[in-house]
Amino acid sequence: MSNAFADLISVLPKERRHVGEVIAIENGVATIELPGGGILRARGAATVGNFVFVRGGAIEAVTQAYAVVAIEI
């Protein structure tokens, strides 16, 4: 008999995916500003002004600008 919670956890990604705006690129490394004001650096294809998804230090995809909604629990 398997544990349903453990099965669910095993399929979830190990690292969080962030989204933010590329504010600078230097030597192939993008500096990304997160909606809360944090900064990430990641490698990948993007240009300044793009909004991107980032996971594990790599840009996964370019996306469109969006409205940010923060929910505190």
Side-chain angles (χ1 to χ4, degrees):
M1 181 179 237
S2 68
N3 180 336
F5 181 72
D7 292 342
L8 173 64
I9 295 299
S10 71
V11 299
L12 295 176
K14 303 300 179 218
E15 294 191 40
R16 292 178 58 185
R17 181 169 67 177
H18 299 277
V19 64
E21 182 180 4
V22 177
I23 57 172
I25 297 177
E26 184 177 331
N27 298 326
V29 178
T31 302
I32 299 138
E33 183 176 21
L34 303 177
I39 300 290
L40 289 177
R41 293 176 52 91
R43 294 195 176 276
T47 58
V48 174
N50 284 148
F51 282 81
V52 294
F53 290 115
V54 178
R55 184 179 305 175
I59 295 173
E60 289 186 337
V62 176
T63 185
Q64 296 181 357
Y66 60 94
V68 175
V69 177
I71 300 172
E72 290 190 34
I73 298 174

